[in-house]
Amino acid sequence: MSLRHAVLGLLAESPASGYDLMKLFNASLASVWPATQSQVYGELTKLTTAGLLEVAAHGPRGRKEYAITEDGLAELRHWLTDVEPSGPQRHDGLLRVFFLGIVTPLEAQTFLLHQAERAARARTTLEHLEETAEWDEEMISVYGRIALEYGLRISAMQEEWARWAAEEVTSAKARKASELARGQHKGPDEGPHEEGRAGEGK
């Protein structure tokens, strides 16, 4: 449901055509809630049909300028104040961390260092945006800068955590757990794992 509210939010500041709205969307919201042009244009049609937007002006070559209605503004306010944010329910990267003992410590470390590099690249991109964007006093700019700060802080934390975790998976405790896990899946000719035999005698 958040795409419709993203569109309503952008149009709450000022009316815009679909083309101008898409440019604004890519410049401000794409890193938070990515959407394709067809999705945004489709949402404009749905919101207009629902009475949350209206076509405020027509231009050449079928250009339409959309404006938020009172019902649309009420829906946006309701979403902002009464609907609890869902937050991330799934995290593919963290799910994999639970099972890194199935691979070797070197493979686990390589995976985590790759995550650290991804976070570092994301932070570099956000820093570039911070330096080059034209921050003015309009709503999307002021509050967009606040949202950008979240991205800067979370990417820094993600990189720090991934580099810490890359060291953790080479610890004696992590190696032991990994060897035991991988030992459960040795072929019939490989025999029991050395550490598995030692554990059985305890």
Side-chain angles (χ1 to χ4, degrees), residues 72-177:
L73 196 57
E75 169 61 23
L76 181 61
R77 286 173 173 156
H78 166 70
W79 177 71
L80 286 168
T81 60
D82 300 327
V83 179
E84 187 71 21
S86 60
Q89 299 297 314
R90 297 174 178 174
H91 194 304
D92 181 63
L94 279 180
L95 178 61
R96 298 181 192 207
V97 171
F98 280 91
F99 310 116
L100 285 179
I102 297 300
V103 300
T104 66
L106 178 59
E107 289 171 322
Q109 187 176 55
T110 299
F111 168 80
L112 290 161
L113 289 175
H114 177 64
Q115 302 311 303
E117 291 165 4
R118 285 184 60 186
R121 288 195 299 271
R123 181 171 175 80
T124 298
T125 299
L126 293 173
E127 287 174 338
H128 177 72
L129 177 59
E130 182 183 36
E131 294 169 1
T132 58
E134 296 182 5
W135 304 107
D136 52 36
E137 296 182 355
E138 293 184 352
M139 178 188 73
I140 296 300
S141 185
V142 172
Y143 287 90
R145 176 62 188 79
I146 293 174
L148 177 65
E149 183 64 24
Y150 172 86
L152 289 169
R153 295 188 187 198
I154 201 72
S155 58
M157 181 279 294
Q158 287 171 336
E159 181 184 3
E160 180 185 5
W161 170 83
R163 295 195 184 282
W164 168 83
E167 292 298 319
E168 282 293 298
V169 297
T170 64
S171 69
K173 187 175 183 179
R175 284 179 178 273
K176 173 74 172 181

Side-chain angles (χ1 to χ4, degrees), residues 22-105:
M22 196 66 214
K23 286 175 58 179
L24 183 57
F25 196 98
N26 286 331
S28 58
L29 302 184
S31 62
V32 177
W33 201 267
T36 64
Q37 179 174 315
S38 62
Q39 289 174 322
V40 171
Y41 273 78
E43 205 60 56
L44 285 171
T45 300
K46 293 176 186 176
L47 291 168
T48 302
T49 301
L52 303 181
L53 296 180
E54 62 183 1
V55 178
H58 291 269
R61 296 184 296 278
R63 182 182 185 276
K64 297 178 182 179
E65 188 172 86
Y66 296 86
I68 193 169
T69 64
E70 286 299 319
D71 286 345
L73 196 57
E75 169 61 23
L76 181 61
R77 286 173 173 156
H78 166 70
W79 177 71
L80 286 168
T81 60
D82 300 327
V83 179
E84 187 71 21
S86 60
Q89 299 297 314
R90 297 174 178 174
H91 194 304
D92 181 63
L94 279 180
L95 178 61
R96 298 181 192 207
V97 171
F98 280 91
F99 310 116
L100 285 179
I102 297 300
V103 300
T104 66

Side-chain angles (χ1 to χ4, degrees), residues 3-12 21 40 43-44 47 53:
L3 177 57
R4 67 167 14 203
H5 296 103
V7 172
L8 288 172
L10 290 175
L11 291 174
L21 181 67
V40 171
E43 205 60 56
L44 285 171
L47 291 168
L53 296 180

